[in-house]
Each structure stands twice: as C-alpha cells, then as structure tokens.
Amino acid sequence: MNEFEVVITETLQRKVKVQAPNKIEAKIKVFDMYDNAEIVLGDDDFLDYSIEAL
C-alpha cells in the first residue's frame, strides 16, 4: 500500500461594509479589524474547498 500526501484547502469569505475616505483607507481599516480579531471568519463564511493529491 502506498502513502500519499493530500492537501485540503478551504476558502472563507465575508463582505464587510465600512466608512472611509477612500478604498485604500477602507482596506486598511478592515485589515486592522481582522488583525485585531474584530472580524473572525467561521462556518457561515464558507465559500469553497479543494482537495489535491501531491
């Protein structure tokens, strides 16, 4: 019997609305919120998965 490594990848996604002067500041704001665990993705944010045998 052979042994194989198989990679499972899950993609989570959430649309977040924030107020900011421009798109760059909005992205920075959401990045900081995510970095500070104010936004935590979970089961409800599941978008897709893939399974790949190496």
Side-chain angles (χ1 to χ4, degrees):
M1 178 99 34
N2 296 323
E3 183 175 283
F4 298 92
E5 287 187 342
V6 179
V7 176
I8 303 168
T9 303
E10 288 187 343
T11 302
L12 305 177
Q13 178 178 295
R14 181 185 302 174
K15 189 180 290 186
V16 179
K17 290 185 178 182
V18 294
Q19 293 185 350
N22 56 55
K23 286 184 179 182
I24 294 171
E25 292 297 321
K27 186 175 180 180
I28 291 169
K29 188 177 222 178
V30 172
F31 176 86
D32 289 342
M33 292 170 68
Y34 182 80
D35 196 44
N36 293 323
E38 295 173 47
I39 299 171
V40 179
L41 303 180
D43 294 345
D44 292 339
D45 302 303
F46 178 81
L47 178 66
D48 195 14
Y49 74 95
S50 66
I51 300 174
E52 180 183 357
L54 303 180

